[in-house]
Amino acid sequence: FGVTILPTMLTLFFTFSVSGFGIDPSLRIDVFEDLNIEESYAGVSQVQGFHNESTAFLFKDMWRSVRASAGVSERMLQKLRGRVEFTLLLTLKQDKFNSGVMLSIHHGEQRYLELESSGQRSEVRLHYWTAERRTHSEVFPYSLADGRWHRVALSLSASQLVLYVDCSRIYERLVETPSMDVPAGTTVWLGQRNNAHGFFKGVMQDVQLLLMPQGYISQCPDLNRTCPTCNDFHGLVQKIMELQDILAKTSGKLARAEERMRALDGCYCERTCSLNGEIYRDEEVWIDGCKNCTCLNGTVECESIFCPAPQCPPNTAPAYIPGACCKEHMHDGTALKKRKVLSHPFMYVCGQNRSMRRVESTSCPELTCPESEQITLTDRCCKVCRGHDFCAEGYSSSCVENSECVNLEAGACCSCRDGYRALRDDSAYCQDVDECAEGKHYCRENTVCVNTPGSFMCVCQTGYIRIDDYSCTEHDECISGLHRCDENALCFNMVGGHSCTCKPGYVGNGTVCRAQCDGLCHNGGSCVAPDTCICQQGFTGRRCETDIDECSDGFVECDSRATCVNLPGWYHCECRDGYHDNGMFSANGESCEDIDECETGRHNCANDTVCFNMDGGYDCRCPHGKNCTGDCVHEGKVKHNRQIWVLDDDRCSVCSCQTGLVMCRRMVCDCENPTVDVSCCPECDPRLTSQCLHQNGLLTYNNGDTWVENCQQCQCMRGEVDCWPVPCAAVLDCEFLVVPEGECCPHCVSDPCQADTVRNDITKTCVDEYGITRFSGSAWTKHGTECSLCQCKVTRQSSDASVNDMFF
């Protein structure tokens, strides 16, 4: 599906051109206009621009502060947020050897977008925030700091980056996708990184951000084109992937829904109620004891039966009868009134004609108690023993709900259980008493009363522990150890809780405390205790500020064909002049082999001499019988024997011609010599104005000093700090990359779950079990499961794509 329609969709989807006029204001950020640069900014003055009658601004001095206000920054960044396509345009004339920042958008240490030019290293550097939530740097070897006008356009479109200088495409790369998820409080600086570093010196004009990938066309209209950008292509591919996944998920859900529909066909569902093992339908009404109950949407709701005042006829009285909740009047002939004559064992019954008639009574049972313990009852003929169990004779069945039968001296009655009150005056039906709501509880301070059936309980408030059933006292979490304070924090007990405060030398919220080191730990070091740093491998010093020179300290022994080169935090064995690596890249330089300069033409022998290859070099020999001059050829020019000269592009290197051989070396720095060139020997510059301040503002470096900060190698050059990414060895044939914490360079790993970066080739595809074509790198949930994630994965050793299952 995705492969067959992709070209057609691309043709229909991409028709886009940009002209230099009439750009939508919502897609344009004019930095000079938004900052109102024409107003007075110390250190900035108005000058003539690139074109006649155009206006530019000269940036000079190092005490200026060209920064957008909080409100202006927010208005500018509101347009930029969420964008993955934009073009940075500017026209500039940078002073020679200056290293400065043209535009910087950063929040704290996080650089969301920054463009700088290094005249010291002839580089253009772009720093930006990626979708992987880290700062990424791209370095372009190119010199803008040459004192001449240049028009610069840098375009980012998803993973495609293009650099134009003077309307010529200089570089085009595939990079990590940018993320302009810029937080509030982010600052925008022009011509500097902050108040201390990155000061641009020279002239700038027309600094703009166009929120479109082909924005460079407004600067160079002849470059107009209609081809799709990488972001356009990736966006369409992503949409196709999403549609594939939605289609697969929808198909699976539809199939399962159809199965359920067939199973439920003909069923009528309603919410029922369950009570005492009985099932009641919705809105069904029934009587439970002396309560009217109703099932409403699955919930049972009951209320007491209302009893009206009984209206009894003459010669009758209201009374409870078994099975009734309300009193009823007693009818003649239905209720029997018994009478016993003490001297005669007869029973008289009131008949329907309201006359008394005698009924013969059966004999009374023999009693086992003494006659003094025998009592006569008013409602029966026979005597009973004192303490007779009347409830056992069946009276307990009259006590229905939350009620119990109680024996009396001459009979029995119903009594409500503790915590209940009577619903009727005979106490046959009783309901719970809410002691908490009625204030009939004994809960004391620091507790909360909670009602229970027939009783209540006192629950301790948070931060208190129980003394007895009714009272609680304060709990000292600090003494008991039941607190959440960090091991480097102090615990303070408080009413109802506790507080945590970090110990001196630690910072944090008390729950989490970390050691604080004055001046911080440099070069990836960790502050493990107050003013105590543990350094990464390759660094030492109280603040890990000193690089260990593995070469000079004798830690490294390189092959004789290689020389040890010290780098910040590490080293490598580099092939000596006259040797090159054979592609094995051994760590100690064993892979260095001789270069045959004579065969490859990489020699400088004059025409009257013959080149002889030697191990690590060559020799220019004069044929027998000839009188050779010993002259040399260097960069197309003839240099006489024993002639000494300075390189045109590097005034700090000196070359000489020695009998047909050109020998070059760096100028020897003798700081005792008053005529020493401090440009070539910055360490010999004693002026305070040539010193630099570290990024944290606490350390000072002399001219020529180097250090590493946040994976950037920095150097102080005549009072200016220039930083560039720490060089990393190339990681070849590696699909999964990870940068360990505290390190700067990536390592190869085999587990994709540990990887920071996964390389995928979207031109490769897989076919899943349902025949759906998937692009390499895409992932989806396996049909019929919720815990199996599938991914289309292409290995570098094979062009075949396969589907891998990853279970979670």
Side-chain angles (χ1 to χ4, degrees):
F1 167 75
V3 175
T4 57
I5 71 168
L6 184 57
T8 304
M9 293 188 68
L10 281 172
T11 303
L12 296 174
F13 188 70
F14 302 127
T15 304
F16 186 81
S17 64
V18 178
S19 65
F21 307 98
I23 296 176
D24 186 350
S26 65
L27 300 178
R28 180 176 180 175
I29 300 175
D30 190 324
V31 180
F32 277 121
E33 181 180 327
D34 289 342
L35 265 65
N36 198 8
I37 202 70
E38 295 183 359
E39 292 186 354
S40 176
Y41 273 94
V44 180
S45 58
Q46 185 172 318
V47 296
Q48 181 176 328
F50 177 59
H51 300 288
N52 292 334
E53 299 181 359
S54 63
T55 301
F57 293 91
L58 173 63
F59 289 76
K60 57 183 178 180
D61 302 325
M62 296 180 60
W63 38 264
R64 64 177 185 262
S65 180
V66 185
R67 171 185 179 182
S69 64
V72 172
S73 295
E74 184 59 29
R75 287 198 302 272
M76 297 168 66
L77 299 177
Q78 189 64 34
K79 297 181 180 180
L80 188 61
R81 284 193 179 97
R83 300 283 183 171
V84 295
E85 290 187 312
F86 52 86
T87 303
L88 176 60
L89 302 176
L90 67 156
T91 304
L92 56 83
K93 183 170 68 173
Q94 187 177 9
D95 293 351
K96 288 185 178 181
F97 304 112
N98 170 248
S99 295
V101 173
M102 285 80 84
L103 178 68
S104 179
I105 301 175
H106 63 267
H107 186 277
E109 294 295 328
Q110 296 178 358
R111 291 185 282 192
Y112 287 89
L113 181 63
E114 182 177 292
L115 183 66
E116 64 173 326
S117 169
S118 172
Q120 299 292 338
R121 297 178 60 87
S122 297
E123 292 176 347
V124 178
R125 305 178 192 132
L126 172 69
H127 312 280
Y128 65 92
W129 191 248
T130 71
E132 301 295 330
R133 303 192 64 77
R134 62 171 176 260
T135 300
H136 177 74
S137 299
E138 285 290 326
V139 179
F140 307 95
Y142 194 89
S143 179
L144 292 177
D146 55 6
R148 294 182 291 181
W149 282 102
H150 294 286
R151 287 178 294 172
V152 180
L154 195 144
S155 175
L156 263 171
S157 174
S159 59
Q160 182 187 31
L161 187 151
V162 185
L163 174 64
Y164 290 88
V165 178
D166 298 324
C167 297
S168 296
R169 181 180 297 191
I170 306 300
Y171 290 99
E172 183 170 4
R173 297 178 181 176
L174 290 178
V175 297
E176 293 190 45
T177 304
S179 172
M180 291 297 107
D181 187 13
V182 185
T186 300
T187 56
V188 180
W189 295 78
L190 182 64
Q192 59 196 96
R193 178 174 296 119
N194 49 43
N195 282 324
H197 295 105
F199 289 96
F200 172 88
K201 292 184 179 180
V203 183
M204 279 196 293
Q205 71 178 89
D206 301 331
V207 181
Q208 301 180 49
L209 271 170
L210 301 185
L211 307 180
M212 57 183 68
Q214 298 92 351
Y216 50 81
I217 298 174
S218 67
Q219 189 182 73
C220 304
D222 292 339
L223 296 176
N224 193 5
R225 66 168 182 79
T226 58
C227 296
T229 65
C230 277
N231 186 63
D232 299 331
F233 179 80
H234 283 293
L236 182 59
V237 170
Q238 183 64 32
K239 289 298 181 183
I240 294 175
M241 287 182 175
E242 293 175 0
L243 288 174
Q244 286 178 331
D245 198 43
I246 292 173
L247 177 61
K249 289 182 178 179
T250 304
S251 299
K253 290 181 179 179
L254 181 60
R256 291 192 294 271
E258 288 177 347
E259 293 178 0
R260 296 187 65 183
M261 289 296 293
R262 285 194 295 269
L264 297 175
D265 190 23
C267 293
Y268 171 73
C269 300
E270 64 174 322
R271 300 196 64 179
T272 60
C273 302
S274 176
L275 182 66
N276 299 328
E278 296 289 334
I279 303 297
Y280 299 94
R281 299 186 61 177
D282 192 37
E283 297 186 357
E284 183 177 352
V285 180
W286 71 97
I287 296 177
D288 180 24
C290 289
K291 294 180 290 185
N292 287 326
C293 298
T294 306
C295 176
L296 295 175
N297 197 26
T299 303
V300 176
E301 295 183 3
C302 297
E303 59 182 10
S304 301
I305 292 177
F306 173 73
C307 293
Q311 302 293 329
C312 296
N315 299 321
T316 63
Y320 290 110
I321 63 175
C325 296
C326 300
K327 288 184 177 181
E328 299 180 4
H329 56 271
M330 298 177 60
H331 297 284
D332 293 340
T334 60
L336 303 179
K337 187 173 182 181
K338 302 174 184 178
R339 177 69 59 87
K340 173 181 177 291
V341 181
L342 294 180
S343 58
H344 302 284
F346 299 112
M347 183 171 62
Y348 293 86
V349 178
C350 178
Q352 292 183 356
N353 58 358
R354 297 187 179 182
S355 61
M356 298 291 293
R357 61 185 180 88
R358 192 175 70 176
V359 179
E360 295 291 336
S361 176
T362 58
S363 60
C364 294
E366 184 177 355
L367 301 178
T368 59
C369 57
E371 187 174 353
S372 60
E373 292 295 319
Q374 297 177 6
I375 57 176
T376 302
L377 306 177
T378 58
D379 59 347
R380 63 176 65 183
C381 299
C382 299
K383 295 182 179 181
V384 296
C385 292
R386 193 181 304 275
H388 180 71
D389 190 354
F390 299 98
C391 294
E393 294 179 348
Y395 191 84
S396 58
S397 60
S398 302
C399 305
V400 183
E401 187 173 325
N402 300 316
S403 177
E404 56 188 6
C405 181
V406 178
N407 286 304
L408 302 176
E409 176 72 18
C413 69
C414 293
S415 176
C416 292
R417 293 191 176 98
D418 291 341
Y420 296 88
R421 66 162 58 92
L423 289 173
R424 306 189 324 189
D425 52 8
D426 64 350
S427 299
Y429 293 86
C430 305
Q431 65 179 0
D432 177 55
V433 176
D434 189 342
E435 295 87 353
C436 300
E438 298 181 7
K440 297 180 178 180
H441 60 85
Y442 309 108
C443 296
R444 305 184 66 181
E445 62 274 3
N446 307 323
T447 63
V448 176
C449 179
V450 177
N451 187 60
T452 60
S455 184
F456 64 93
M457 61 185 301
C458 304
V459 179
C460 293
Q461 295 179 354
T462 303
Y464 293 86
I465 57 175
R466 183 173 301 282
I467 298 177
D468 52 34
D469 290 344
Y470 307 107
S471 56
C472 301
T473 187
E474 184 181 350
H475 180 208
D476 193 334
E477 294 95 342
C478 299
I479 295 178
S480 64
L482 299 176
H483 58 80
R484 296 183 297 174
C485 298
D486 189 89
E487 62 180 355
N488 295 312
L490 300 174
C491 180
F492 297 95
N493 189 55
M494 302 174 64
V495 176
H498 64 281
S499 65
C500 306
T501 303
C502 292
K503 296 178 181 178
Y506 295 86
V507 294
N509 58 6
T511 303
V512 177
C513 298
R514 56 182 176 83
Q516 185 178 23
C517 296
D518 292 337
L520 305 179
C521 300
H522 304 298
N523 300 315
S526 301
C527 185
V528 296
D531 292 335
T532 304
C533 297
I534 292 183
C535 302
Q536 290 283 341
Q537 183 176 358
F539 295 95
T540 186
R542 185 167 175 265
R543 293 288 176 265
C544 307
E545 72 280 1
T546 304
D547 171 53
I548 297 176
D549 191 339
E550 294 86 353
C551 301
S552 62
D553 293 345
F555 293 119
V556 180
E557 184 176 349
C558 293
D559 188 85
S560 60
R561 292 162 293 182
T563 181
C564 181
V565 178
N566 184 60
L567 293 171
W570 62 301
Y571 69 94
H572 76 100
C573 295
E574 187 177 90
C575 294
R576 296 180 184 272
D577 291 339
Y579 298 92
H580 71 102
D581 199 279
N582 59 13
M584 299 302 293
F585 299 104
S586 61
N588 62 351
E590 291 180 351
S591 55
C592 295
E593 60 183 22
D594 176 57
I595 299 173
D596 191 339
E597 292 87 354
C598 300
E599 182 179 346
T600 60
R602 298 171 60 180
H603 62 85
N604 296 314
C605 294
N607 293 333
D608 58 352
T609 60
V610 178
C611 177
F612 281 86
N613 185 58
M614 301 177 66
D615 188 29
Y618 64 93
D619 188 17
C620 299
R621 299 180 181 178
C622 185
H624 181 69
K626 286 190 176 183
N627 185 17
C628 300
T629 62
D631 292 342
C632 306
V633 178
H634 183 258
E635 295 182 351
K637 298 178 181 179
V638 177
K639 302 293 183 181
H640 297 295
N641 189 22
R642 292 188 176 86
Q643 181 179 348
I644 300 174
W645 67 96
V646 177
L647 293 179
D648 294 336
D649 56 353
D650 185 3
R651 67 178 184 178
C652 300
S653 295
V654 179
C655 298
S656 64
C657 176
Q658 301 291 334
T659 317
L661 293 179
V662 176
M663 311 293 291
C664 296
R665 60 176 174 79
R666 294 286 294 178
M667 184 182 295
V668 177
C669 293
D670 182 8
C671 296
E672 301 296 329
N673 185 355
T675 62
V676 65
D677 189 345
V678 294
S679 297
C680 299
C681 303
E683 64 272 19
C684 298
D685 190 351
R687 295 174 298 175
L688 292 177
T689 56
S690 297
Q691 295 181 339
C692 301
L693 198 62
H694 188 273
Q695 285 87 339
N696 60 22
L698 301 177
L699 296 177
T700 302
Y701 292 99
N702 293 324
N703 191 17
D705 287 351
T706 61
W707 67 96
V708 175
E709 178 69 18
N710 291 332
C711 294
Q712 296 276 309
Q713 186 171 347
C714 301
Q715 184 177 25
C716 176
M717 296 297 293
R718 296 186 298 277
E720 295 183 2
V721 176
D722 189 17
C723 298
W724 56 93
V726 170
C728 295
V731 184
L732 303 177
D733 295 327
C734 185
E735 186 174 6
F736 305 114
L737 299 174
V738 63
V739 179
E741 184 176 357
E743 298 187 22
C744 301
C745 297
H747 294 253
C748 189
V749 294
S750 58
D751 186 356
C753 296
Q754 298 178 356
D756 296 329
T757 304
V758 179
R759 299 176 179 173
N760 292 306
D761 184 358
I762 62 173
T763 63
K764 307 295 183 182
T765 59
C766 305
V767 178
D768 67 10
E769 67 271 27
Y770 280 81
I772 299 176
T773 302
R774 306 279 186 172
F775 286 98
S776 176
S778 63
W780 65 95
T781 303
K782 191 172 183 179
H783 303 306
T785 69
E786 295 297 334
C787 299
S788 181
L789 180 68
C790 300
Q791 184 181 31
C792 178
K793 179 179 174 183
V794 181
T795 61
R796 291 182 174 270
Q797 290 76 17
S798 171
S799 60
D800 297 332
S802 61
V803 176
N804 291 348
D805 289 349
M806 295 175 288
F807 298 93
F808 299 93

